[in-house]
Amino acid sequence: MIWRSSQSLRGLPGTSQVSSKGIVLKICFGPFILDLDTRQLTQENREIHLAPKAFELLTMLVLDRPKVLSKAVLQDRLWPGTFVAEANLSNLVAEIREALDDRAHAPRFIRTSHGFGYAFCGDAATLPAVNDSGRDRPSCWIEWDQRRFPLAVGAHVIGRDPDVEVRLDSSTVSRRHARIVVTAEGAALEDFGSKNGTFCGDARVAAPVPLADGDVIRIGSLVVTFHVRSPMSTDTQAQPEP
């Protein structure tokens, strides 16, 4: 699993904040907090500026840790369908290292796999936000072609890549097509700029969309159904006393 939760995050500044959208995921490593909802990198509540592409690159490396991502894969994700010089990627890595006070020759966070790509090599932990009511996290899944994909708290990438959490083998599905992010507050669907689009009902997904039980999702030409069972529900009801 790519996403991890850790008890060690409790008590760190900012880790319990819940946005109005109900989707907050914060990843802590060293003195830094990477907020995927607000797209901010902070250190001791001080924001550290990163260009949008640099933030996306850091997020990719952190989420795929400790896997080494090839330069070709990173370029395809950052600039899909566009040819860019390799120097653009190395410049983003240099920007991230400067922001993290990291060094290429003695990396704490960003490791170079020479001649291949980059990896996040630091210790990191992810904690989905918990709402104030203290409700248990919901049980979610999606169904496709008589198959069920359980969705635990965290992020679940949907696509054709063999290493994604929800693999849908169709030529109309991009390698990393979309993702569903699940927290204690609920679930949201996001598109990764896929060629054939992601739809919730009849609406194309352009920004994170909250999901409800029974929502029909189209990934390329494939149709899946999202389900969530309330943590208070049971498969059988208690019989009344005589």
Short mmCIF file of all heavy atoms in Angstrom, two decimals, residues 137-186:
data_model
loop_
_atom_site.label_atom_id
_atom_site.label_comp_id
_atom_site.label_asym_id
_atom_site.label_seq_id
_atom_site.Cartn_x
_atom_site.Cartn_y
_atom_site.Cartn_z
N ARG A 137 -14.32 5.46 10.53
CA ARG A 137 -14.21 5.70 9.10
C ARG A 137 -15.19 4.79 8.35
O ARG A 137 -15.45 3.66 8.78
CB ARG A 137 -12.78 5.44 8.63
CG ARG A 137 -12.26 4.05 8.88
CD ARG A 137 -10.76 4.04 8.70
NE ARG A 137 -10.21 2.69 8.89
CZ ARG A 137 -8.94 2.43 9.04
NH1 ARG A 137 -8.07 3.41 9.00
NH2 ARG A 137 -8.49 1.20 9.19
N PRO A 138 -15.70 5.25 7.21
CA PRO A 138 -16.67 4.46 6.48
C PRO A 138 -16.01 3.30 5.75
O PRO A 138 -14.81 3.29 5.51
CB PRO A 138 -17.25 5.47 5.47
CG PRO A 138 -16.14 6.45 5.28
CD PRO A 138 -15.45 6.56 6.61
N SER A 139 -16.82 2.33 5.41
CA SER A 139 -16.36 1.21 4.60
C SER A 139 -16.81 1.46 3.17
O SER A 139 -18.00 1.57 2.90
CB SER A 139 -16.96 -0.10 5.13
OG SER A 139 -16.63 -1.17 4.29
N CYS A 140 -15.82 1.60 2.27
CA CYS A 140 -16.13 1.97 0.88
C CYS A 140 -15.58 0.92 -0.08
O CYS A 140 -14.62 0.22 0.22
CB CYS A 140 -15.51 3.32 0.52
SG CYS A 140 -15.91 4.67 1.63
N TRP A 141 -16.19 0.86 -1.25
CA TRP A 141 -15.65 0.01 -2.31
C TRP A 141 -16.25 0.46 -3.64
O TRP A 141 -17.23 1.23 -3.69
CB TRP A 141 -15.96 -1.46 -2.05
CG TRP A 141 -17.42 -1.84 -2.13
CD1 TRP A 141 -18.11 -2.34 -3.20
CD2 TRP A 141 -18.40 -1.77 -1.07
NE1 TRP A 141 -19.42 -2.56 -2.89
CE2 TRP A 141 -19.62 -2.23 -1.58
CE3 TRP A 141 -18.33 -1.35 0.28
CZ2 TRP A 141 -20.78 -2.29 -0.82
CZ3 TRP A 141 -19.48 -1.41 1.03
CH2 TRP A 141 -20.69 -1.88 0.50
N ILE A 142 -15.62 0.05 -4.72
CA ILE A 142 -16.21 0.24 -6.04
C ILE A 142 -16.36 -1.12 -6.70
O ILE A 142 -15.58 -2.04 -6.44
CB ILE A 142 -15.40 1.20 -6.94
CG1 ILE A 142 -13.98 0.68 -7.17
CG2 ILE A 142 -15.39 2.60 -6.37
CD1 ILE A 142 -13.22 1.53 -8.17
N GLU A 143 -17.36 -1.22 -7.56
CA GLU A 143 -17.64 -2.47 -8.26
C GLU A 143 -17.55 -2.26 -9.76
O GLU A 143 -18.02 -1.25 -10.29
CB GLU A 143 -19.02 -2.99 -7.88
CG GLU A 143 -19.12 -3.46 -6.43
CD GLU A 143 -20.49 -4.04 -6.10
OE1 GLU A 143 -21.39 -3.97 -6.96
OE2 GLU A 143 -20.66 -4.55 -4.97
N TRP A 144 -16.91 -3.23 -10.42
CA TRP A 144 -16.80 -3.20 -11.88
C TRP A 144 -16.77 -4.64 -12.39
O TRP A 144 -15.96 -5.44 -11.94
CB TRP A 144 -15.53 -2.47 -12.32
CG TRP A 144 -15.22 -2.65 -13.79
CD1 TRP A 144 -15.96 -2.21 -14.83
CD2 TRP A 144 -14.11 -3.37 -14.34
NE1 TRP A 144 -15.39 -2.59 -16.02
CE2 TRP A 144 -14.25 -3.30 -15.75
CE3 TRP A 144 -13.03 -4.04 -13.80
CZ2 TRP A 144 -13.33 -3.90 -16.62
CZ3 TRP A 144 -12.12 -4.64 -14.66
CH2 TRP A 144 -12.27 -4.56 -16.05
N ASP A 145 -17.67 -4.95 -13.29
CA ASP A 145 -17.68 -6.24 -13.97
C ASP A 145 -17.62 -7.39 -12.96
O ASP A 145 -16.81 -8.30 -13.08
CB ASP A 145 -16.51 -6.33 -14.95
CG ASP A 145 -16.65 -7.51 -15.89
OD1 ASP A 145 -17.79 -7.95 -16.13
OD2 ASP A 145 -15.60 -8.00 -16.38
N GLN A 146 -18.46 -7.32 -11.94
CA GLN A 146 -18.57 -8.34 -10.90
C GLN A 146 -17.32 -8.42 -10.02
O GLN A 146 -17.15 -9.39 -9.28
CB GLN A 146 -18.87 -9.72 -11.51
CG GLN A 146 -20.20 -9.77 -12.25
CD GLN A 146 -20.51 -11.15 -12.78
OE1 GLN A 146 -19.63 -11.99 -12.96
NE2 GLN A 146 -21.79 -11.41 -13.02
N ARG A 147 -16.48 -7.42 -10.09
CA ARG A 147 -15.31 -7.35 -9.21
C ARG A 147 -15.50 -6.23 -8.21
O ARG A 147 -16.10 -5.19 -8.52
CB ARG A 147 -14.03 -7.11 -10.02
CG ARG A 147 -13.67 -8.22 -10.97
CD ARG A 147 -12.41 -7.91 -11.74
NE ARG A 147 -11.27 -7.76 -10.84
CZ ARG A 147 -10.09 -7.29 -11.23
NH1 ARG A 147 -9.90 -6.92 -12.49
NH2 ARG A 147 -9.09 -7.20 -10.37
N ARG A 148 -15.00 -6.45 -7.00
CA ARG A 148 -15.12 -5.44 -5.94
C ARG A 148 -13.72 -5.02 -5.50
O ARG A 148 -12.87 -5.85 -5.22
CB ARG A 148 -15.89 -6.01 -4.75
CG ARG A 148 -15.98 -5.05 -3.58
CD ARG A 148 -16.78 -5.63 -2.42
NE ARG A 148 -18.21 -5.68 -2.72
CZ ARG A 148 -19.13 -5.87 -1.79
NH1 ARG A 148 -18.79 -6.02 -0.52
NH2 ARG A 148 -20.40 -5.90 -2.12
N PHE A 149 -13.49 -3.69 -5.45
CA PHE A 149 -12.21 -3.14 -5.01
C PHE A 149 -12.44 -2.40 -3.69
O PHE A 149 -13.03 -1.31 -3.68
CB PHE A 149 -11.65 -2.16 -6.05
CG PHE A 149 -11.35 -2.77 -7.38
CD1 PHE A 149 -12.32 -2.84 -8.37
CD2 PHE A 149 -10.09 -3.28 -7.66
CE1 PHE A 149 -12.05 -3.39 -9.61
CE2 PHE A 149 -9.80 -3.83 -8.90
CZ PHE A 149 -10.79 -3.90 -9.88
N PRO A 150 -12.00 -2.96 -2.56
CA PRO A 150 -12.15 -2.27 -1.27
C PRO A 150 -11.34 -0.98 -1.25
O PRO A 150 -10.24 -0.91 -1.81
CB PRO A 150 -11.61 -3.28 -0.26
CG PRO A 150 -11.59 -4.59 -0.98
CD PRO A 150 -11.36 -4.27 -2.41
N LEU A 151 -11.86 0.05 -0.59
CA LEU A 151 -11.19 1.35 -0.49
C LEU A 151 -11.02 1.70 0.98
O LEU A 151 -11.95 2.19 1.61
CB LEU A 151 -12.02 2.43 -1.21
CG LEU A 151 -12.37 2.17 -2.68
CD1 LEU A 151 -13.27 3.28 -3.21
CD2 LEU A 151 -11.11 2.06 -3.53
N ALA A 152 -9.85 1.48 1.50
CA ALA A 152 -9.55 1.88 2.87
C ALA A 152 -9.26 3.38 2.91
O ALA A 152 -9.21 4.05 1.88
CB ALA A 152 -8.35 1.09 3.39
N VAL A 153 -9.09 3.92 4.11
CA VAL A 153 -8.72 5.32 4.23
C VAL A 153 -7.40 5.55 3.53
O VAL A 153 -6.44 4.82 3.71
CB VAL A 153 -8.62 5.73 5.72
CG1 VAL A 153 -7.98 7.09 5.86
CG2 VAL A 153 -10.01 5.74 6.35
N GLY A 154 -7.36 6.58 2.68
CA GLY A 154 -6.16 6.88 1.90
C GLY A 154 -6.53 7.18 0.47
O GLY A 154 -7.69 7.48 0.15
N ALA A 155 -5.54 7.13 -0.42
CA ALA A 155 -5.75 7.44 -1.82
C ALA A 155 -5.61 6.16 -2.64
O ALA A 155 -4.72 5.34 -2.39
CB ALA A 155 -4.75 8.48 -2.29
N HIS A 156 -6.47 6.01 -3.63
CA HIS A 156 -6.50 4.81 -4.45
C HIS A 156 -6.49 5.24 -5.92
O HIS A 156 -7.47 5.77 -6.44
CB HIS A 156 -7.74 3.98 -4.14
CG HIS A 156 -7.88 3.65 -2.69
ND1 HIS A 156 -7.36 2.50 -2.14
CD2 HIS A 156 -8.43 4.35 -1.66
CE1 HIS A 156 -7.60 2.48 -0.84
NE2 HIS A 156 -8.24 3.60 -0.53
N VAL A 157 -5.35 5.01 -6.58
CA VAL A 157 -5.21 5.40 -7.97
C VAL A 157 -5.89 4.36 -8.85
O VAL A 157 -5.76 3.15 -8.65
CB VAL A 157 -3.72 5.53 -8.35
CG1 VAL A 157 -3.57 5.87 -9.83
CG2 VAL A 157 -3.05 6.60 -7.50
N ILE A 158 -6.61 4.85 -9.86
CA ILE A 158 -7.32 4.01 -10.81
C ILE A 158 -6.63 4.15 -12.17
O ILE A 158 -6.37 5.26 -12.63
CB ILE A 158 -8.80 4.44 -10.94
CG1 ILE A 158 -9.47 4.42 -9.57
CG2 ILE A 158 -9.54 3.54 -11.91
CD1 ILE A 158 -10.86 5.05 -9.57
N GLY A 159 -6.34 3.04 -12.81
CA GLY A 159 -5.70 3.12 -14.12
C GLY A 159 -5.30 1.77 -14.65
O GLY A 159 -5.68 0.72 -14.11
N ARG A 160 -4.47 1.79 -15.73
CA ARG A 160 -4.01 0.55 -16.36
C ARG A 160 -2.67 0.07 -15.83
O ARG A 160 -2.27 -1.07 -16.08
CB ARG A 160 -3.89 0.76 -17.88
CG ARG A 160 -5.20 0.71 -18.63
CD ARG A 160 -4.99 0.67 -20.14
NE ARG A 160 -4.38 1.88 -20.64
CZ ARG A 160 -3.18 1.96 -21.19
NH1 ARG A 160 -2.42 0.88 -21.28
NH2 ARG A 160 -2.72 3.11 -21.64
N ASP A 161 -1.93 0.94 -15.15
CA ASP A 161 -0.63 0.54 -14.63
C ASP A 161 -0.78 -0.67 -13.71
O ASP A 161 -1.72 -0.72 -12.90
CB ASP A 161 0.01 1.69 -13.83
CG ASP A 161 0.96 2.50 -14.69
OD1 ASP A 161 1.14 2.15 -15.87
OD2 ASP A 161 1.51 3.50 -14.19
N PRO A 162 0.14 -1.63 -13.79
CA PRO A 162 0.01 -2.82 -12.93
C PRO A 162 0.21 -2.53 -11.45
O PRO A 162 -0.15 -3.35 -10.61
CB PRO A 162 1.12 -3.75 -13.46
CG PRO A 162 2.08 -2.85 -14.16
CD PRO A 162 1.27 -1.73 -14.72
N ASP A 163 0.79 -1.36 -11.10
CA ASP A 163 1.07 -1.09 -9.68
C ASP A 163 0.06 -0.16 -9.04
O ASP A 163 0.24 0.26 -7.91
CB ASP A 163 2.48 -0.49 -9.52
CG ASP A 163 2.64 0.82 -10.27
OD1 ASP A 163 1.80 1.11 -11.14
OD2 ASP A 163 3.60 1.56 -9.99
N VAL A 164 -1.05 0.17 -9.73
CA VAL A 164 -2.06 1.05 -9.12
C VAL A 164 -2.98 0.22 -8.24
O VAL A 164 -3.05 -1.02 -8.36
CB VAL A 164 -2.88 1.81 -10.19
CG1 VAL A 164 -1.97 2.68 -11.04
CG2 VAL A 164 -3.67 0.85 -11.07
N GLU A 165 -3.69 0.90 -7.35
CA GLU A 165 -4.56 0.20 -6.41
C GLU A 165 -5.79 -0.40 -7.09
O GLU A 165 -6.26 -1.47 -6.70
CB GLU A 165 -5.01 1.15 -5.29
CG GLU A 165 -3.94 1.52 -4.29
CD GLU A 165 -2.95 2.51 -4.85
OE1 GLU A 165 -3.26 3.22 -5.82
OE2 GLU A 165 -1.83 2.59 -4.30
N VAL A 166 -6.35 0.31 -8.07
CA VAL A 166 -7.53 -0.18 -8.78
C VAL A 166 -7.17 -0.28 -10.26
O VAL A 166 -7.11 0.72 -10.96
CB VAL A 166 -8.74 0.76 -8.59
CG1 VAL A 166 -9.95 0.22 -9.33
CG2 VAL A 166 -9.07 0.92 -7.10
N ARG A 167 -6.89 -1.48 -10.72
CA ARG A 167 -6.43 -1.68 -12.09
C ARG A 167 -7.62 -2.04 -12.98
O ARG A 167 -8.30 -3.04 -12.75
CB ARG A 167 -5.37 -2.76 -12.17
CG ARG A 167 -4.74 -2.88 -13.55
CD ARG A 167 -3.48 -3.72 -13.51
NE ARG A 167 -2.83 -3.72 -14.81
CZ ARG A 167 -2.97 -4.68 -15.73
NH1 ARG A 167 -3.73 -5.73 -15.46
NH2 ARG A 167 -2.34 -4.60 -16.89
N LEU A 168 -7.84 -1.23 -14.01
CA LEU A 168 -8.89 -1.46 -14.99
C LEU A 168 -8.22 -1.61 -16.35
O LEU A 168 -7.68 -0.65 -16.90
CB LEU A 168 -9.89 -0.28 -15.01
CG LEU A 168 -10.58 0.04 -13.67
CD1 LEU A 168 -11.49 1.24 -13.84
CD2 LEU A 168 -11.36 -1.16 -13.14
N ASP A 169 -8.25 -2.81 -16.88
CA ASP A 169 -7.50 -3.12 -18.09
C ASP A 169 -8.35 -2.83 -19.33
O ASP A 169 -9.13 -3.66 -19.78
CB ASP A 169 -7.06 -4.59 -18.07
CG ASP A 169 -6.04 -4.89 -19.16
OD1 ASP A 169 -5.58 -3.94 -19.82
OD2 ASP A 169 -5.71 -6.07 -19.35
N SER A 170 -8.22 -1.60 -19.82
CA SER A 170 -8.94 -1.19 -21.02
C SER A 170 -8.11 -0.13 -21.74
O SER A 170 -7.46 0.71 -21.09
CB SER A 170 -10.31 -0.62 -20.66
OG SER A 170 -10.91 0.01 -21.79
N SER A 171 -8.14 -0.16 -23.07
CA SER A 171 -7.37 0.82 -23.85
C SER A 171 -7.89 2.24 -23.67
O SER A 171 -7.19 3.21 -23.96
CB SER A 171 -7.40 0.44 -25.33
OG SER A 171 -8.74 0.42 -25.82
N THR A 172 -9.12 2.38 -23.18
CA THR A 172 -9.68 3.72 -22.97
C THR A 172 -9.32 4.30 -21.61
O THR A 172 -9.67 5.44 -21.32
CB THR A 172 -11.22 3.69 -23.10
OG1 THR A 172 -11.78 2.90 -22.05
CG2 THR A 172 -11.64 3.13 -24.44
N VAL A 173 -8.64 3.50 -20.79
CA VAL A 173 -8.24 3.94 -19.45
C VAL A 173 -6.76 4.31 -19.47
O VAL A 173 -5.93 3.53 -19.96
CB VAL A 173 -8.49 2.83 -18.41
CG1 VAL A 173 -8.00 3.25 -17.03
CG2 VAL A 173 -9.97 2.47 -18.36
N SER A 174 -6.43 5.49 -18.97
CA SER A 174 -5.03 5.92 -18.91
C SER A 174 -4.28 5.10 -17.88
O SER A 174 -4.87 4.48 -16.99
CB SER A 174 -4.95 7.41 -18.57
OG SER A 174 -5.62 8.20 -19.53
N ARG A 175 -2.96 5.13 -17.98
CA ARG A 175 -2.15 4.36 -17.03
C ARG A 175 -2.40 4.80 -15.60
O ARG A 175 -2.48 3.99 -14.69
CB ARG A 175 -0.66 4.48 -17.39
CG ARG A 175 -0.28 3.69 -18.63
CD ARG A 175 1.18 3.81 -18.93
NE ARG A 175 1.56 5.18 -19.27
CZ ARG A 175 2.81 5.56 -19.52
NH1 ARG A 175 3.79 4.69 -19.43
NH2 ARG A 175 3.08 6.81 -19.85
N ARG A 176 -2.49 6.09 -15.38
CA ARG A 176 -2.90 6.64 -14.08
C ARG A 176 -4.03 7.62 -14.40
O ARG A 176 -3.79 8.79 -14.68
CB ARG A 176 -1.72 7.33 -13.37
CG ARG A 176 -0.62 6.34 -12.96
CD ARG A 176 0.58 7.06 -12.39
NE ARG A 176 0.28 7.77 -11.16
CZ ARG A 176 0.33 7.23 -9.95
NH1 ARG A 176 0.66 5.96 -9.80
NH2 ARG A 176 0.06 7.94 -8.88
N HIS A 177 -5.22 7.12 -14.36
CA HIS A 177 -6.38 7.83 -14.91
C HIS A 177 -7.03 8.79 -13.91
O HIS A 177 -7.31 9.94 -14.22
CB HIS A 177 -7.41 6.79 -15.38
CG HIS A 177 -8.47 7.33 -16.27
ND1 HIS A 177 -8.53 7.07 -17.63
CD2 HIS A 177 -9.54 8.13 -16.01
CE1 HIS A 177 -9.57 7.68 -18.15
NE2 HIS A 177 -10.21 8.32 -17.19
N ALA A 178 -7.28 8.28 -12.70
CA ALA A 178 -8.00 9.06 -11.69
C ALA A 178 -7.65 8.48 -10.33
O ALA A 178 -6.88 7.52 -10.22
CB ALA A 178 -9.50 9.00 -11.93
N ARG A 179 -8.23 9.06 -9.27
CA ARG A 179 -8.06 8.47 -7.96
C ARG A 179 -9.27 8.80 -7.09
O ARG A 179 -9.97 9.79 -7.31
CB ARG A 179 -6.78 8.94 -7.27
CG ARG A 179 -6.80 10.36 -6.76
CD ARG A 179 -5.52 10.66 -5.99
NE ARG A 179 -5.48 12.05 -5.53
CZ ARG A 179 -4.47 12.56 -4.83
NH1 ARG A 179 -3.44 11.81 -4.51
NH2 ARG A 179 -4.49 13.81 -4.45
N ILE A 180 -9.47 7.95 -6.11
CA ILE A 180 -10.49 8.17 -5.08
C ILE A 180 -9.76 8.34 -3.76
O ILE A 180 -8.94 7.49 -3.39
CB ILE A 180 -11.50 7.03 -5.02
CG1 ILE A 180 -12.32 6.97 -6.31
CG2 ILE A 180 -12.43 7.20 -3.82
CD1 ILE A 180 -13.28 5.79 -6.37
N VAL A 181 -10.02 9.44 -3.07
CA VAL A 181 -9.40 9.72 -1.78
C VAL A 181 -10.46 9.51 -0.70
O VAL A 181 -11.53 10.13 -0.74
CB VAL A 181 -8.85 11.15 -1.72
CG1 VAL A 181 -8.20 11.42 -0.36
CG2 VAL A 181 -7.84 11.39 -2.83
N VAL A 182 -10.15 8.63 0.25
CA VAL A 182 -11.08 8.30 1.31
C VAL A 182 -10.53 8.79 2.64
O VAL A 182 -9.36 8.56 2.97
CB VAL A 182 -11.31 6.77 1.39
CG1 VAL A 182 -12.29 6.43 2.51
CG2 VAL A 182 -11.82 6.24 0.06
N THR A 183 -11.34 9.51 3.40
CA THR A 183 -11.00 9.92 4.76
C THR A 183 -12.16 9.55 5.67
O THR A 183 -13.18 9.02 5.23
CB THR A 183 -10.74 11.43 4.87
OG1 THR A 183 -11.98 12.13 4.80
CG2 THR A 183 -9.82 11.92 3.77
N ALA A 184 -12.02 9.86 6.95
CA ALA A 184 -13.11 9.62 7.89
C ALA A 184 -14.33 10.47 7.56
O ALA A 184 -15.44 10.18 7.98
CB ALA A 184 -12.65 9.90 9.32
N GLU A 185 -14.11 11.55 6.81
CA GLU A 185 -15.22 12.44 6.44
C GLU A 185 -16.00 11.96 5.24
O GLU A 185 -17.13 12.37 5.02
CB GLU A 185 -14.66 13.84 6.14
CG GLU A 185 -14.06 14.55 7.34
CD GLU A 185 -15.12 14.88 8.36
OE1 GLU A 185 -16.21 15.29 7.98
OE2 GLU A 185 -14.84 14.70 9.54
N GLY A 186 -15.41 11.10 4.40
CA GLY A 186 -16.09 10.68 3.18
C GLY A 186 -15.08 10.35 2.10
O GLY A 186 -13.92 10.04 2.38
#
